[in-house]
Amino acid sequence: MLSELRTAHKVIGVKQSQKAIKDGAAAEVFVALDAEKRVVSPIYELCSETDTKVSEITTMAELGDAAGIDVGAAVVTVLR
């Protein structure tokens, strides 16, 4: 799925991902393991509450690159 992330309908970032998860629009959430825990812990909690699939990616740089942006990303959410 990571290879398909560049062309998938998605939102990037914690706030936009939180909104998508709360709205039930999230199909899968990708979280960078090197992101600050205080930043991504609310995402893990929301995904647990809503039974949304979470995939962990090694680095923010790798996740940002896979999403097609020039900077790192802590969270990328693929939309339904």
Side-chain angles (χ1 to χ4, degrees):
M1 182 67 180
L2 191 59
S3 60
E4 299 168 11
L5 200 52
R6 187 175 297 266
T7 58
H9 284 55
K10 63 189 169 288
V11 293
I12 300 171
V14 173
K15 288 182 181 178
Q16 289 188 40
S17 292
Q18 284 176 318
K19 185 177 184 324
I21 296 164
K22 286 177 184 175
D23 292 346
E28 184 173 1
V29 178
F30 292 87
V31 178
L33 291 174
D34 66 343
E36 291 185 45
K37 297 300 175 211
R38 67 176 179 79
V39 172
V40 296
S41 61
I43 295 293
Y44 282 109
E45 290 174 23
L46 267 177
C47 288
S48 177
E49 291 170 8
T50 59
D51 202 28
T52 304
K53 181 180 177 187
V54 176
S55 296
E56 296 177 325
I57 307 304
T58 309
T59 66
M60 290 175 59
E62 181 183 356
L63 184 54
D65 185 56
I69 60 173
D70 293 332
V71 295
V75 181
V76 176
T77 299
V78 175
L79 304 175
R80 297 187 190 279

